[in-house]
Amino acid sequence: MENNGFGELLELLAKCNFPELRERLEKMNEVDIAEFMEGLNQEQTLLVFRILPKDISADVFSYLDSDSRTGIIEAATDKELHALVDDLYLDDTVDMLEEVPANVVRRVLASTDSQTRELINRFLNYPENSAGSIMTIEMVELHDRYTVREAIDHIRKTGVDKETIYTCYCIDDARHLIGSVQLRHLIMADEDDLIRDIMDGMDYLRYVHTLDDQEEVADIVRKYDLLSVPVLDNEDRLVGIITVDDIVDVIEEENTEDMEKMSLLKPSGNDKPYLKTSVFRLAGNRIVWLLVLMISATFTGKIIENYEALLSGMVALTASIPMLMDTGGNAGSQTSTLVIRNLALGEVTARDYLRILWKELRVALICGLILGVVNLGRMLLLRSGTLMECVVTSLAMVCAVIVAKLIGCTLPIIAKLLHIDPALMAGPMITTIVDAVTLIIYFSLAQAILM
Amino acid sequence: MENNGFGELLELLAKCNFPELRERLEKMNEVDIAEFMEGLNQEQTLLVFRILPKDISADVFSYLDSDSRTGIIEAATDKELHALVDDLYLDDTVDMLEEVPANVVRRVLASTDSQTRELINRFLNYPENSAGSIMTIEMVELHDRYTVREAIDHIRKTGVDKETIYTCYCIDDARHLIGSVQLRHLIMADEDDLIRDIMDGMDYLRYVHTLDDQEEVADIVRKYDLLSVPVLDNEDRLVGIITVDDIVDVIEEENTEDMEKMSLLKPSGNDKPYLKTSVFRLAGNRIVWLLVLMISATFTGKIIENYEALLSGMVALTASIPMLMDTGGNAGSQTSTLVIRNLALGEVTARDYLRILWKELRVALICGLILGVVNLGRMLLLRSGTLMECVVTSLAMVCAVIVAKLIGCTLPIIAKLLHIDPALMAGPMITTIVDAVTLIIYFSLAQAILM
């Protein structure tokens, strides 16, 4: 983020001292180089990219933001393009192609051989957020008839271009996955051992299919502490792997999406960063839910109109409406968030519903009673209305908290059963429903007790 | 979660066919074995634990939930305890000790040698959520004067007990970290190369200190796609490493904590799972914020009381209060969530405040105007009040959305500057403030236009 630390590099660049600049960059982490380049103008970015040692330039490229990437691609010669695509992992090439304009895509594809082009096209066809769309094909495959010595020789010969060599996958002649072996076990094993004797079999191994959702892949990697997970096609042949560093990004992306949904934002997905998104796009992501909930608030308005006579005489009742509604909304969103998060992490399932309901009922009773008593004291102290008005408000408070918490744990579970994302049932959505119920309880109590 | 797949294992257990059971377990993933054991009663758990092949029992133990762990520890003989602690990674031992009762801690410590005991005590003293508290000491250390051949021999000899051997750390004679080397580079390198010539130096390497917060560690692992990160003491000596699988857990924990704070829940941290938490504990985590916000809602009540005369004549004004408050709250929480999330992921910093404010102002204008117009149409259509009452409500709507969005982006940034967690400034907190401001704007407009 900050430009400190890059001062000397900028000076070398300004002085056109490229040999020294190159030497400095050579020692740096690719992520830091990308960060340095993102602070430069397009011309300088291209210049620095051309200075970079060939063995790290593809890595640096994969860490650049999409504007810098597009700039480099558009200005690159065909020869440079070819070399770049050759050095990039296939998943990074595909990521890049999804971001750049169509004419650039055509240039990139033209510079690749027909086999790569076919692979790229297959990748571009995997559904968004599927395992196929985030996998890479650069994995180590071993035959189970290899000895450990042969396996290590094979890795030495082919491993330099692989995304990871730490988990190697064992396949039979039809490319079916039959096991895996960790490099650490290869290193520790006797050189004459057969792979088939030391590999972990399919009972042990976890794998996914190309069309599985990336969230399921993340769950498996998290649960089994994996460094990579193999991806199979629909005939159970090994077609790729997904590494843990990509899963870390998936986890953050899914969490962002959940938080966005919980706050009524249309998930931005892999979109541009906030500061680069246009205000119309931002407004578009927000307006739909705001409109829907505003219009549903028509009900609360109608309820109030119905009790016009009741309210006109007692200002204390009207004055308590915001407090009752807010407290109900807060109590409901506490519960819905807990349930949504526990569902997302697999800590509870829809089948636990009755246990959750019973727990929340008791929690609601405790919270509701405390809030009711404190509210009674507060209103009496501030002389906000007659004794009976204070009692009615406090009773309504207890009921509102109970109802809010029961609705708060029920809606996410119903959403789960209907295969809707439970995250949509968080705070604001619940608030609108709780508001209407709270007002009805409140006015009914008032009518019964005060009239 | 589900017991399917474990049916045959349960049958073997019921039939006391232990040799067959052991054989089946031997082929299974440790995570699945732990899941199977969590479904058993305490006696059976212990039985299965004793059947497990010795080389996987510690791994299985580290995946068990805290009830099952405590059960095993309490029933284990001193000899079993000693063997278990010997096989566990130190960080798992420490995790376990933090969960079991004090008398069990004493028994475990009594069964370890004095060196391990001292290490455990040091770990127990690291602050919660610090890098020191989540690191492990089982890493591979190489001297920079080794050749590649010597390094691989060293790894073969000592690597079996290490948590990871894929990134090896290079130290000098005073144990200062001076570089790192990936196992993949060792495998590819010439056997006579010197480690010092092929290692990545300190310009390239990323590291943390024992007292750094685990969130900072997670940021580094995510940004640099690391498999492990070295931990240094305050004299820059290498004392441990943190592996990516533990970081994945930290990321989920921090996300859960953020969501909890955003919904006014006291973060549960490493507590028991929801279904096992007592209702009093759950109620305690929620009541404080509910009380605070309920009492601050006194202001909104007072505002309404002040405008008693205005409201008593016009029921349409009262009927629109919930809708205005909800829409303002929703608009505010959309913005605050976006800003909180972008701050957490490092996409924006407090220095971007003016750019965010300017963007949100324009977004608010677009959303506010659309909502205002739709609301005007809706109220006129439903004949909810006179034309002027409908105009006042719609104008108030526009103002409320603008104010809510500006407050929604300002509070998280202020929190960040004051070193308070911005997540505390989300929906419910903002709603309470927005409510009061919205009502004041609403009634002032009404008084100016209608009276």
Side-chain angles (χ1 to χ4, degrees):
Chain A
M1 310 301 149
E2 323 202 2
N3 246 354
N4 48 6
F6 296 145
E8 290 179 44
L9 295 178
L10 289 171
E11 216 168 284
L12 290 171
L13 183 60
K15 282 191 197 147
C16 297
N17 187 347
F18 301 135
E20 170 89 17
L21 181 61
R22 183 188 155 105
E23 205 173 299
R24 298 289 287 276
L25 291 172
E26 216 161 8
K27 286 191 212 141
M28 280 171 59
N29 193 298
E30 293 85 358
V31 179
D32 293 323
I33 301 176
E35 201 169 305
F36 163 63
M37 287 170 68
E38 284 169 12
L40 306 177
N41 65 35
Q42 197 176 328
E43 198 185 335
Q44 290 172 316
T45 305
L46 192 67
L47 191 67
V48 172
F49 187 72
R50 283 177 170 153
I51 298 177
L52 287 178
K54 207 183 141 337
D55 57 324
I56 63 168
S57 62
D59 272 348
V60 171
F61 184 85
S62 71
Y63 284 111
L64 283 172
D65 63 19
S66 94
D67 285 358
S68 307
R69 290 192 207 190
T70 312
I72 289 174
I73 294 284
E74 282 178 341
T77 66
D78 282 346
K79 202 175 144 209
E80 283 171 326
L81 263 190
H82 186 75
L84 178 64
V85 173
D86 225 42
D87 280 350
L88 278 176
Y89 290 124
L90 190 68
D91 59 334
D92 290 325
T93 307
V94 173
D95 278 358
M96 180 259 286
L97 290 179
E98 281 169 343
E99 288 165 355
V100 296
N103 64 323
V104 181
V105 174
R106 270 194 300 277
R107 275 192 61 211
V108 172
L109 287 180
S111 79
T112 60
D113 57 68
S114 66
Q115 200 191 349
T116 313
R117 202 152 50 228
E118 195 187 310
L119 267 173
I120 290 176
N121 277 319
R122 195 196 309 157
F123 264 67
L124 288 171
N125 280 326
Y126 286 121
E128 206 184 344
N129 297 337
S130 67
S133 76
I134 58 168
M135 73 184 185
T136 179
I137 55 165
E138 287 88 358
M139 64 260 176
V140 176
E141 298 160 333
L142 299 176
H143 273 282
D144 64 333
R145 56 175 182 267
Y146 284 0
T147 62
V148 167
R149 190 183 303 108
E150 286 169 330
I152 292 182
D153 277 349
H154 178 77
I155 296 171
R156 271 175 183 273
K157 252 181 260 155
T158 62
V160 68
D161 287 331
K162 305 306 181 187
E163 177 125 7
T164 180
I165 63 169
Y166 297 142
T167 307
C168 306
Y169 295 98
C170 311
I171 51 173
D172 63 16
D173 291 326
R175 297 193 51 79
H176 291 124
L177 182 65
I178 54 173
S180 77
V181 59
Q182 300 289 323
L183 182 60
R184 67 183 299 165
H185 294 148
L186 281 181
I187 296 281
M188 305 291 169
D190 191 320
E191 293 205 318
D192 293 318
D193 284 349
L194 284 177
I195 294 298
R196 106 166 37 105
D197 295 329
I198 62 164
M199 74 180 185
D200 292 315
M202 295 301 281
D203 283 334
Y204 188 90
L205 194 57
R206 288 296 161 276
Y207 51 87
V208 297
H209 285 93
T210 45
L211 297 183
D212 289 348
D213 192 89
Q214 61 177 5
E215 206 163 349
E216 291 168 49
V217 185
D219 287 344
I220 288 176
V221 170
R222 190 179 61 218
K223 181 171 170 186
Y224 293 94
D225 289 350
L226 302 177
L227 293 181
S228 60
V229 58
V231 185
L232 309 185
D233 65 13
N234 49 17
E235 286 162 50
D236 285 345
R237 287 173 306 207
L238 180 66
V239 289
I241 58 168
I242 300 171
T243 49
V244 64
D245 54 310
D246 291 327
I247 288 302
V248 167
D249 295 336
V250 167
I251 289 176
E252 287 294 18
E253 199 183 296
E254 297 284 343
N255 278 313
T256 301
E257 216 177 285
D258 276 357
M259 289 187 200
E260 287 173 335
K261 284 186 190 158
M262 288 164 81
S263 300
L264 300 178
L265 293 153
K266 204 174 116 201
S268 50
N270 282 322
D271 267 14
K272 292 189 170 188
Y274 168 78
L275 285 175
K276 292 192 175 176
T277 311
S278 77
V279 289
F280 292 101
R281 181 66 169 269
L282 287 174
N285 288 345
R286 305 183 194 180
I287 191 68
V288 179
W289 276 115
L290 289 178
L291 276 174
V292 169
L293 291 191
M294 182 197 80
I295 290 170
S296 15
T298 306
F299 289 106
T300 50
K302 286 288 160 207
I303 295 168
I304 293 181
E305 283 177 25
N306 273 342
Y307 287 92
E308 184 180 350
L310 179 74
L311 286 173
S312 66
M314 289 175 270
V315 70
L317 286 191
T318 312
S320 293
I321 291 177
M323 183 203 58
L324 274 175
M325 283 175 30
D326 281 351
T327 308
N330 294 340
S333 86
Q334 286 182 331
T335 299
S336 61
T337 300
L338 256 188
V339 174
I340 290 165
R341 187 65 182 157
N342 275 293
L343 282 171
L345 293 180
E347 298 275 336
V348 305
T349 68
R351 275 184 288 171
D352 295 312
Y353 175 58
L354 289 181
R355 288 172 70 191
I356 298 171
L357 195 72
W358 170 229
K359 209 175 247 299
E360 286 301 314
L361 179 65
R362 289 174 293 163
V363 174
L365 267 173
I366 299 173
C367 290
L369 286 173
I370 296 177
L371 287 165
V373 170
V374 173
N375 181 57
L376 191 64
R378 181 189 68 94
M379 288 184 76
L380 291 175
L381 209 72
L382 295 174
R383 303 179 196 286
S384 311
T386 67
L387 176 62
M388 284 320 283
E389 284 171 346
C390 299
V391 169
V392 165
T393 308
S394 301
L395 270 179
M397 171 82 78
V398 181
C399 299
V401 170
I402 293 173
V403 169
K405 290 218 173 276
L406 298 187
I407 295 176
C409 69
T410 304
L411 287 188
I413 303 267
I414 292 180
K416 183 81 184 178
L417 290 175
L418 297 178
H419 300 287
I420 302 168
D421 189 335
L424 286 172
M425 298 296 156
M429 181 70 101
I430 289 202
T431 299
T432 304
I433 298 171
V434 166
D435 278 357
V437 180
T438 302
L439 286 180
I440 293 175
I441 294 174
Y442 183 38
F443 294 145
S444 310
L445 278 174
Q447 202 151 41
I449 297 178
L450 300 177
M451 298 288 268
Chain B
M1 314 298 148
E2 326 202 358
N3 246 353
N4 47 7
F6 296 146
E8 290 178 45
L9 296 178
L10 288 170
E11 218 168 283
L12 291 171
L13 183 60
K15 283 189 198 149
C16 296
N17 186 347
F18 300 136
E20 170 88 17
L21 181 61
R22 183 188 154 105
E23 206 172 297
R24 299 288 287 276
L25 291 172
E26 215 159 9
K27 286 190 211 142
M28 282 171 58
N29 192 298
E30 294 84 359
V31 179
D32 294 322
I33 301 176
E35 200 168 307
F36 164 64
M37 288 170 68
E38 284 170 12
L40 306 177
N41 66 36
Q42 197 177 328
E43 200 184 331
Q44 290 172 316
T45 305
L46 191 67
L47 191 67
V48 172
F49 188 72
R50 282 176 172 155
I51 298 176
L52 286 177
K54 206 182 143 335
D55 57 324
I56 63 169
S57 62
D59 272 349
V60 171
F61 184 86
S62 71
Y63 283 112
L64 284 172
D65 64 20
S66 94
D67 285 358
S68 307
R69 289 193 208 191
T70 312
I72 289 174
I73 294 285
E74 282 179 343
T77 65
D78 282 347
K79 202 176 145 207
E80 284 172 325
L81 264 190
H82 186 74
L84 178 64
V85 172
D86 227 39
D87 280 350
L88 279 175
Y89 291 123
L90 189 68
D91 58 336
D92 291 324
T93 307
V94 173
D95 278 356
M96 180 259 287
L97 290 178
E98 280 169 344
E99 288 164 354
V100 296
N103 63 323
V104 182
V105 174
R106 271 195 298 277
R107 275 191 61 212
V108 173
L109 288 180
S111 78
T112 60
D113 58 65
S114 65
Q115 201 191 347
T116 313
R117 203 152 50 229
E118 195 187 309
L119 267 174
I120 291 177
N121 277 320
R122 195 197 307 158
F123 264 67
L124 289 171
N125 280 327
Y126 286 121
E128 207 185 343
N129 298 336
S130 66
S133 74
I134 57 168
M135 73 183 183
T136 179
I137 56 165
E138 285 89 359
M139 64 262 178
V140 176
E141 298 160 334
L142 299 176
H143 272 282
D144 64 333
R145 58 174 181 267
Y146 283 179
T147 62
V148 167
R149 187 184 303 109
E150 286 169 327
I152 293 183
D153 278 348
H154 178 78
I155 295 171
R156 273 173 183 272
K157 251 181 262 156
T158 62
V160 69
D161 288 330
K162 304 306 182 188
E163 179 127 5
T164 181
I165 64 169
Y166 297 142
T167 307
C168 305
Y169 295 98
C170 311
I171 51 172
D172 64 14
D173 291 325
R175 297 193 50 76
H176 291 124
L177 182 67
I178 54 175
S180 77
V181 59
Q182 300 289 325
L183 183 60
R184 68 182 299 163
H185 294 147
L186 281 181
I187 296 281
M188 306 291 170
D190 192 319
E191 292 205 317
D192 293 318
D193 284 350
L194 284 177
I195 293 298
R196 106 163 38 104
D197 294 329
I198 62 163
M199 73 180 187
D200 292 315
M202 295 301 281
D203 283 334
Y204 189 90
L205 195 57
R206 287 296 162 275
Y207 51 86
V208 297
H209 285 92
T210 46
L211 297 183
D212 288 349
D213 192 88
Q214 61 178 7
E215 208 163 348
E216 290 168 50
V217 185
D219 287 343
I220 287 176
V221 169
R222 190 177 62 219
K223 181 170 171 187
Y224 293 93
D225 289 348
L226 303 177
L227 294 181
S228 59
V229 58
V231 185
L232 310 184
D233 66 12
N234 50 17
E235 285 162 50
D236 285 343
R237 288 173 306 207
L238 180 67
V239 289
I241 58 168
I242 300 171
T243 50
V244 64
D245 54 309
D246 291 328
I247 289 302
V248 167
D249 296 336
V250 167
I251 289 175
E252 286 294 16
E253 199 184 295
E254 297 283 345
N255 278 312
T256 301
E257 216 177 284
D258 276 358
M259 290 188 202
E260 287 174 334
K261 284 186 190 159
M262 288 164 81
S263 300
L264 301 178
L265 293 154
K266 206 175 115 196
S268 49
N270 283 321
D271 267 14
K272 292 190 171 188
Y274 168 76
L275 285 175
K276 292 193 174 174
T277 311
S278 78
V279 290
F280 292 100
R281 180 66 169 271
L282 287 174
N285 288 345
R286 305 183 195 181
I287 190 67
V288 179
W289 276 115
L290 288 178
L291 276 174
V292 169
L293 290 192
M294 183 196 80
I295 289 170
S296 10
T298 305
F299 289 106
T300 49
K302 286 287 159 209
I303 295 167
I304 293 182
E305 282 176 26
N306 273 342
Y307 288 91
E308 186 180 349
L310 178 74
L311 286 172
S312 66
M314 288 175 269
V315 70
L317 287 189
T318 312
S320 293
I321 290 178
M323 185 204 55
L324 275 175
M325 282 176 29
D326 281 351
T327 307
N330 294 341
S333 88
Q334 286 181 331
T335 299
S336 61
T337 300
L338 257 187
V339 173
I340 290 165
R341 187 66 183 157
N342 275 293
L343 282 171
L345 292 180
E347 298 276 334
V348 305
T349 67
R351 273 183 291 169
D352 296 311
Y353 176 59
L354 288 181
R355 289 172 69 191
I356 298 171
L357 195 72
W358 171 228
K359 209 173 245 303
E360 286 301 314
L361 179 65
R362 289 173 294 162
V363 173
L365 266 172
I366 299 173
C367 289
L369 285 173
I370 296 177
L371 287 166
V373 170
V374 173
N375 181 57
L376 190 63
R378 181 189 68 95
M379 288 184 75
L380 290 174
L381 209 72
L382 295 174
R383 301 178 197 288
S384 312
T386 66
L387 176 63
M388 285 320 283
E389 283 172 345
C390 299
V391 169
V392 165
T393 308
S394 300
L395 272 180
M397 172 82 77
V398 181
C399 299
V401 170
I402 293 173
V403 169
K405 290 220 173 275
L406 297 186
I407 295 177
C409 68
T410 304
L411 287 188
I413 302 267
I414 291 180
K416 183 81 185 178
L417 291 175
L418 296 178
H419 300 287
I420 302 169
D421 190 335
L424 285 172
M425 298 297 155
M429 182 70 101
I430 291 210
T431 299
T432 304
I433 297 171
V434 167
D435 279 356
V437 180
T438 302
L439 286 179
I440 292 174
I441 294 173
Y442 184 37
F443 294 144
S444 310
L445 278 173
Q447 201 151 42
I449 298 179
L450 301 176
M451 300 288 267

